[in-house]
Amino acid sequence: MKILNNFYNTPSALLIFTTLFWAFNTIFGQLAVGEISPLQIVPLRWILVSSVMWFIFGNDVKTNWQIIKPEINKIIFMALMGFTGFNVLFYTASQYTNAINLGIIQSSVPVYVLLGAYFFYKTSITALQGLGVMISIIGVTIITTNGDIEILLNLQLNKGDLIMLVACLMYSYYTLSLKTRLQIPGIAFFTLMSVIANFLALPLFIIDYLINGINYPSINGLIITILVAIFPSSLAQIFYLRAVDIAGPGKAGIYTNIVPIFSSILAVILLNQRFEIFHGISLVLVLSGIWLSERK
């Protein structure tokens, strides 16, 4: 118990495991291809997560309901963008691109957040931050074109990478909204979001039936869904919220830059995916751009 208590009060340890679990999500996304539909894995994961979270922390939500009620429409839209919508596009993108690309593109979220803060909150951007944004955009462009400029000139971009870019824009909106989120305990807020995400995702079962007919997930697909529910969906979010409470959002945000590194290593080891030169160049550019964009 002492070890667990020390772990739960050490932000660096919490954040390393958070980013590792998020990186594993790129692997799960690849393993899910052919085993379970993206329109099935999203509602199933939120059914599992919300059921457990409500059982443990539902009373915390009920206690804060009078505070929550006036903001419920905003919270619903946050859940739609950051939890349901992002994950549908994430697992759809996994059908068309690899885990290395997913991890590197996902690491561009802090740059989109910086740009969003500038346009929507009038937050100033320094010349150094602007340079960081440009470098990151170049890095993302390299990964979406596989390092081939002719692909960009002919507008023959990878469908999966483009879908992932849209997913990152949605998650960036969610992240920006956290700046003005309802001030209730983080664990209660996540519980509420997971329940809302669950209800928003349920119609996906109907959409999947209309598109694919009766299409049951395989045993492997169900196992993958359980792993997704436990690690990136629950533990990572709980660890992240705890780390933010201890160390603040600034330090927590820096650690998210580790995700593409973990994703690349895991993809090479577990999926035998090739790490090409353009992956390395893109990774360096995106991480360098993020580092510069976080300078004041």
Side-chain angles (χ1 to χ4, degrees):
M1 291 298 294
K2 184 178 180 181
I3 295 176
L4 291 176
N5 185 61
N6 289 338
F7 170 78
Y8 201 61
N9 288 285
T10 306
S12 58
L14 290 166
L15 289 166
I16 287 173
F17 274 90
T18 295
T19 54
L20 178 61
F21 293 159
W22 281 341
F24 261 110
N25 201 32
T26 64
I27 306 302
F28 295 146
Q30 298 281 279
L31 295 176
V33 176
E35 304 289 347
I36 182 171
S37 162
L39 298 176
Q40 293 174 340
I41 191 173
V42 174
L44 284 176
R45 72 183 277 183
W46 288 120
I47 288 172
L48 293 172
V49 173
S50 63
S51 298
V52 173
M53 295 301 295
W54 186 262
F55 178 77
I56 300 174
F57 301 106
N59 286 334
D60 293 345
V61 177
K62 294 176 184 178
T63 300
N64 290 280
W65 180 247
Q66 292 304 316
I67 303 174
I68 294 169
K69 189 175 180 180
E71 299 289 324
I72 193 63
N73 289 335
K74 177 182 177 181
I75 296 171
I76 289 173
F77 194 67
M78 288 177 66
L80 174 65
M81 297 292 281
F83 283 15
T84 306
F86 169 80
N87 284 293
V88 169
L89 294 183
F90 178 90
Y91 292 111
T92 301
S94 297
Q95 308 278 319
Y96 304 102
T97 191
N98 61 43
I100 296 173
N101 286 33
L102 290 173
I104 294 175
I105 294 173
Q106 189 174 349
S107 71
S108 63
V109 168
V111 173
Y112 300 145
V113 170
L114 179 67
L115 291 173
Y118 172 77
F119 285 109
F120 295 107
Y121 296 111
K122 307 304 179 183
T123 303
S124 61
I125 297 179
T126 66
L128 198 60
Q129 290 174 323
L131 176 62
V133 169
M134 292 301 299
I135 291 174
S136 289
I137 290 174
I138 292 171
V140 171
T141 301
I142 289 174
I143 204 68
T144 55
T145 60
N146 289 341
D148 188 349
I149 191 63
E150 290 187 7
I151 293 178
L152 181 62
L153 294 176
N154 296 324
L155 295 179
Q156 298 173 345
L157 303 179
N158 183 301
K159 183 193 299 185
D161 293 340
L162 293 177
I163 292 172
M164 189 60 194
L165 280 172
V166 176
C168 288
L169 289 172
M170 294 178 72
Y171 200 81
S172 298
Y173 170 84
Y174 164 73
T175 303
L176 280 168
S177 299
L178 289 177
K179 294 178 179 294
T180 57
R181 80 164 177 86
L182 195 65
Q183 293 305 302
I184 61 175
I187 199 70
F189 185 76
F190 174 66
T191 300
L192 174 63
M193 291 279 288
S194 70
V195 171
I196 294 172
N198 176 23
F199 284 104
L200 290 173
L202 289 177
L204 296 176
F205 283 129
I206 300 174
I207 297 173
D208 184 66
Y209 171 75
L210 294 175
I211 295 174
N212 302 313
I214 298 176
N215 179 33
Y216 296 110
S218 67
I219 296 298
N220 288 338
L222 293 176
I223 292 172
I224 291 167
T225 302
I226 292 171
L227 292 174
V228 167
I230 294 172
F231 294 102
S233 299
S234 296
L235 291 180
Q237 295 290 348
I238 292 170
F239 290 171
Y240 188 74
L241 287 169
R242 174 62 177 168
V244 169
D245 287 342
I246 299 173
K251 182 175 181 179
I254 293 173
Y255 272 79
T256 61
N257 301 340
I258 303 174
V259 172
I261 298 173
F262 280 149
S263 295
S264 300
I265 294 172
L266 291 172
V268 171
I269 295 174
L270 300 179
L271 302 178
N272 294 318
Q273 293 182 355
R274 292 185 59 183
F275 191 86
E276 306 284 358
I277 293 176
F278 73 85
H279 285 127
I281 295 172
S282 177
L283 184 61
V284 170
L285 287 173
V286 171
L287 294 180
S288 299
I290 293 171
W291 183 82
L292 287 172
S293 67
E294 290 173 343
R295 303 305 97 191
K296 300 298 183 182

